[in-house]
Amino acid sequence: MNEALLRELVPAVIGILVRRGADFASAEDAVQEALIRALATWPDDPPRDPKAWLVTAAWHKFVDATRAEASRRGREVAVDAEPLAGPAPSSDDTLRLYFLCAHPTLPPASAVALTLRAVGGLTTRQIAAAHLVPEATMAQRISRAKRKLEGLPLDQPGDLATVLRVLYLVFNEGYGGDVDLAAEAIRITRQLAALTDEPEVAGLLALMLLHHARRASRTGPDGRLVPLGSQDRSRWDTGLIADGVTVLQAALARDRLGEYQAQAAIAALHADAPSAAETDWVQIVEWYDELLPLTGDSPVVRLNRAVAVGEADGPRAGLAALDGVDPELPRYAAVAAYLCERSGDLARAAELYADAAHAATSVPERDHLTREAARVRQQLRGS
Amino acid sequence: MKYLLLKHYRGGPDAVSPQPPMDQWAPEDVDAHIQYMRDFAARLVETGEFVDERALRPEGTFVRHDGVGRPPVTDGPFAETKDLVAGWMLIDVDSWERAVELAGELSAAPCAGGEPGREWLEVRPLFTEQLLGTE
């Protein structure tokens, strides 16, 4: 049976149950139980309408569970008055589920776990494996998140920006275990894009596709980090790039620019360049200038912009663009080191690369920066 | 039996062959060092003796409870004198002798000039959760 197809149905089914009066935690539990039954019975007895089957099965589970609890008798009465399950278009219900899972009161790690479970349809075991934590830990994280959502009014319009941030977090978790979270994030964002006409959703989807297309080339043999300029562009996934560019162009055409669209535009310019030397840095700087006000003058964006300015107008202009950027920012030292090296100040570059290695947050990044420092020092000794 | 191999940035006995900071090595020495560690771990995966390993970032501090309702006391961050653990590897081997042998191999990782670094590694057996020899 197609497990992926089954997972696609999860958010809509939970959404329908919630709309009919089920609380979120019970609806989610009921759908998980219905899924288990589906996996057991569908191979021998496939339903004509899988979604309607799931809604009915989950609704029965929910009603059973509700009946079993004396304290919920009041709700039961309301439940019985509801119409029976059947196929129903429910994009609003599904959309509401996205908002609920990414609720601003949830800590980001919980919002990510809940989104993967309720919207993505992953099992707790899969989510735990992907985050390299024990299954019991992840089960606790999810049930605490569900408890936190208890009693929240479900009729409020949610904050789409929070949903997008959570989905981008999922994308950036990378992958562990048998689930590729980046691919999951793309799948879930695609569903969201089908539910809403907000161009920023398409912008985020395009950004993910364009990043994902370059993944294979980003690390060398032995997990070594390969910077953009040295990547083997023949290993980029041209299909994904074309997909990302199409999604982006449709979003931009609607003329409501947001930060994900602007970031995707920058990623698209990188993806378009046949070689690092042919990158259109002037246009990239222009996009950074669009992006800055959209992010409230984000220091991280300012830092990345300095790199682009360094390429477009030379390393001295890049260093000037660093003026006023907080040197405590992660990667500040790495950017400054690169610009110093290109401007010919090798001694300062070596120091900065070593500082950057010291502040690195991942082993591949630390090793890469240590190599850069060693390489520049060797040049210094040779000159 | 499981053993923890602790690598130290500082602390432990004085170095036998003191090394300059890694960023001052020749680039090929850096590569050789990283490759050695990687090969070492890969080999232990093959022998079924590898459990886990992690590198630790250098910043950190000591924290102490200082009474209910008071903020905890922290010491540092300090970067100059105190013992500092750079990372660890957890291995699952048949004997103490094997753990010591492997720690010795890890300590032989090539450093500046391609010479073995001979850094000190701390080897600590883990307590087990199981009661051994009972029914």
Side-chain angles (χ1 to χ4, degrees), chain A residues 69-377:
Chain A
E69 267 186 89
S71 64
R72 298 203 176 175
R73 293 232 172 259
R75 193 196 295 277
E76 189 188 357
V77 174
V79 157
D80 281 342
E82 285 282 332
L84 272 180
S90 56
S91 66
D92 286 351
D93 298 329
T94 307
L95 192 55
R96 200 177 295 158
L97 194 65
Y98 275 86
F99 291 134
L100 197 57
C101 292
H103 201 274
T105 57
L106 293 177
S110 300
V112 163
L114 203 57
T115 301
L116 285 171
R117 165 117 175 197
V119 185
L122 298 189
T123 64
T124 306
R125 189 185 54 74
Q126 288 173 314
I127 301 169
H131 287 88
L132 305 173
V133 301
E135 188 174 348
T137 305
M138 189 51 80
Q140 276 296 336
R141 204 180 281 177
I142 290 171
S143 62
R144 286 174 66 164
K146 286 200 280 191
R147 245 176 285 140
K148 201 152 188 190
L149 295 179
E150 249 172 50
L152 276 180
L154 297 173
D155 49 349
Q156 284 176 352
D159 178 3
L160 192 66
T162 313
V163 175
L164 296 183
R165 192 173 51 83
V166 166
L167 291 175
Y168 201 31
L169 277 178
V170 174
F171 181 76
N172 284 312
E173 294 274 357
Y175 62 111
D178 60 348
V179 179
D180 179 344
L181 285 187
E184 279 302 310
I186 288 174
R187 186 177 68 80
I188 297 171
T189 308
R190 228 188 253 286
Q191 284 185 20
L192 180 61
L195 294 173
T196 161
D197 62 351
E198 173 54 53
E200 270 295 83
V201 180
L204 177 62
L205 177 59
L207 179 62
M208 288 176 177
L209 291 167
L210 290 163
H211 279 331
H212 205 54
R214 298 203 302 251
R215 183 158 86 174
S217 65
R218 228 179 273 140
T219 45
D222 313 326
R224 180 186 288 218
L225 189 149
V226 183
L228 181 60
S230 322
Q231 285 174 15
D232 174 1
R233 287 168 192 241
S234 69
R235 296 179 66 200
W236 289 2
D237 186 329
T238 47
L240 278 183
I241 291 174
D243 195 3
V245 168
T246 306
V247 171
L248 174 65
Q249 278 169 345
L252 289 175
R254 313 193 46 191
D255 206 22
R256 275 188 286 152
L257 189 64
E259 59 175 301
Y260 291 115
Q261 293 170 75
Q263 284 190 59
I266 291 165
L269 284 167
H270 285 302
D272 264 353
S275 71
E278 290 165 88
T279 307
D280 187 347
W281 289 105
V282 173
Q283 224 193 123
I284 288 177
V285 172
E286 286 169 9
W287 274 110
Y288 273 116
D289 290 337
E290 296 268 8
L291 181 57
L292 262 180
L294 293 170
T295 59
D297 203 7
S298 150
V300 175
V301 173
R302 207 161 262 291
L303 182 63
N304 292 332
R305 180 181 173 277
V307 178
V309 170
E311 300 291 349
D313 303 330
R316 274 170 217 291
L319 285 167
L322 270 185
D323 264 355
V325 180
D326 180 5
E328 295 296 311
L329 273 184
R331 299 212 169 87
Y332 178 97
V335 169
Y338 176 72
L339 292 170
C340 277
E341 184 190 348
R342 291 197 50 230
S343 76
D345 187 351
L346 296 188
R348 182 83 188 112
E351 262 173 54
L352 284 165
Y353 275 128
D355 290 351
H358 203 68
T361 55
S362 80
V363 170
E365 195 182 332
R366 181 195 64 187
D367 290 350
H368 169 71
L369 291 164
T370 304
R371 280 192 198 95
E372 295 290 271
R375 178 181 56 75
V376 174
R377 282 197 207 282

Side-chain angles (χ1 to χ4, degrees), chain A residues 222 359-361 371 373-374 377, chain B residues 23-25 27 31 35 38 57:
Chain A
D222 313 326
T361 55
R371 280 192 198 95
R377 282 197 207 282
Chain B
D23 58 272
Q24 294 175 21
W25 301 2
D31 285 346
Q35 193 60 45
R38 211 186 293 279
R57 297 182 53 196

Side-chain angles (χ1 to χ4, degrees), chain B residues 118-131:
Chain B
R118 303 181 67 197
E119 65 175 339
W120 289 102
L121 282 153
E122 190 181 352
V123 183
R124 297 279 299 273
L126 267 66
F127 280 111
T128 141
E129 299 282 325
Q130 250 112 45
L131 290 170

Side-chain angles (χ1 to χ4, degrees), chain A residues 10-23:
Chain A
V10 168
V13 176
I14 297 178
I16 290 171
L17 261 62
V18 168
R19 180 165 53 82
R20 289 185 179 177
D23 63 286

